[in-house]
Amino acid sequence: MDIDDILQEFEESTAKQYQSTSASIQQDLITAMMNERMSPELLPYKTELLNTVLTHISNQQQFLLDSHEYGEINSGNGIISSDFKLQLMIIETDIERISYIVKLYLRTRLSKLNKFTIFYINISNDDDDSEYLSQEEKDYIHKYYQLLTSLYNNCFLKKLPQILTFLDDSSGGQNMIVEPDLNQFVFVKCITKDPIFLQLEDEELELIENGVYVIKYNLIKRYLEQGDLILV
């Protein structure tokens, strides 16, 4: 086997391996991002998926560095094909695409943490629901709450009676803690082959594979967690 055959085999195997891995990771990441964006509440943090994605990005960045170095060394010999250079450009584009989806996923979660700060602080203090937030999100939300409390105190809370300064006050029939609206209507797509039957107020709704429906979030929450439905 001469050098041309070795290079061709390397290029083909690299392209197939990357396309298969990248496509699978991107699809899982897009699903997680769409579910997070369309859900009225914060969904459990995808720890395993994010670790896999970040490792994949790091590996591909290292691969690009090695490949570019290899290309610079051998470019003068004429043994680097234009297809190989094109594959590197495709990999660079895919890395940028995956990185953008990761940022969109994390920014969506941060916007919910900002909106429902005290609610999720209470959840983060509950060991049973610790999977909802990553450690970085837990650190962020506590620091954010400290800054928010300091701002409110300096602006107006210090001028009020002490009994009116609690941001988490729920006395008098008025809850100061803003919570996600789980009765919000969402678009869902059924992806399981087995039909799902939902009991509504006066009828039963059947969700079939590939069907798209508009329904209250709290009715489909457990099926979303099981992976039988996705939000669209």
Side-chain angles (χ1 to χ4, degrees):
M1 180 179 293
D2 56 24
I3 186 63
D4 292 335
D5 294 332
I6 295 176
L7 288 173
Q8 182 178 359
E9 182 180 350
F10 170 73
E11 293 173 10
E12 291 177 352
S13 62
T14 299
K16 290 179 180 179
Q17 180 180 1
Y18 176 80
Q19 291 171 1
S20 176
T21 304
S22 179
S24 175
I25 289 177
Q26 285 192 45
Q27 185 55 54
D28 292 342
L29 185 59
I30 289 174
T31 298
M33 182 271 294
M34 287 297 298
N35 285 342
E36 193 66 63
R37 283 181 64 83
M38 298 297 106
S39 169
E41 67 170 347
L42 196 70
L43 300 178
Y45 183 75
K46 296 289 186 179
T47 304
E48 184 176 349
L49 175 61
L50 265 294
N51 289 340
T52 300
V53 169
L54 296 178
T55 300
H56 175 72
I57 292 176
S58 178
N59 291 340
Q60 293 308 317
Q61 289 175 335
Q62 185 60 49
F63 172 78
L64 286 176
L65 290 175
D66 295 340
S67 298
H68 283 303
E69 181 179 354
Y70 174 79
E72 291 175 358
I73 295 176
N74 295 278
S75 59
N77 301 331
I79 61 175
I80 301 299
S81 68
S82 58
D83 288 342
F84 183 67
K85 295 179 181 178
L86 178 61
Q87 290 170 10
L88 296 184
M89 293 178 60
I90 293 174
I91 293 176
E92 289 178 351
T93 303
D94 281 344
I95 290 176
E96 293 178 358
R97 182 184 298 111
I98 294 176
S99 298
Y100 172 77
I101 299 173
V102 170
K103 292 177 182 178
L104 192 58
Y105 172 78
L106 295 177
R107 286 173 179 171
T108 300
R109 293 180 61 84
L110 286 179
S111 68
K112 293 180 182 179
L113 291 176
N114 292 342
K115 185 176 182 180
F116 309 113
T117 305
I118 301 177
F119 177 78
Y120 284 116
I121 282 180
N122 293 337
I123 287 183
S124 68
N125 293 330
D126 187 348
D127 293 336
D128 294 335
D129 291 317
S130 58
E131 65 176 1
Y132 267 80
L133 302 177
S134 66
Q135 186 57 51
E136 292 78 9
E137 289 173 336
K138 292 178 182 178
D139 295 338
Y140 168 82
I141 196 172
H142 283 89
K143 291 180 180 178
Y144 177 78
Y145 180 66
Q146 291 175 0
L147 293 174
L148 198 64
T149 302
S150 177
L151 175 64
Y152 287 169
N153 284 330
N154 292 332
C155 290
F156 59 89
L157 288 182
K158 63 182 179 181
K159 301 176 183 179
L160 299 177
Q162 181 68 27
I163 193 174
L164 299 178
T165 60
F166 300 105
L167 299 180
D168 57 351
D169 185 22
S170 59
S171 61
Q174 182 66 40
N175 191 355
M176 296 291 291
I177 302 177
V178 181
E179 301 182 5
D181 181 12
L182 302 186
N183 286 319
Q184 178 178 320
F185 283 92
V186 293
F187 285 88
V188 300
K189 180 179 181 180
C190 182
I191 58 175
T192 180
K193 294 182 178 180
D194 299 327
I196 297 175
F197 296 93
L198 298 178
Q199 186 63 47
L200 305 181
E201 294 181 358
D202 53 355
E203 62 179 341
E204 187 176 60
L205 177 63
E206 180 183 3
L207 309 184
I208 61 175
E209 186 179 11
N210 294 324
V212 178
Y213 308 88
V214 182
I215 196 166
K216 288 184 178 181
Y217 175 79
N218 61 351
L219 295 177
I220 56 88
K221 178 179 178 179
R222 69 185 183 96
Y223 297 104
L224 178 65
E225 295 173 349
Q226 294 171 3
D228 295 332
L229 300 174
I230 59 174
L231 299 180
V232 294

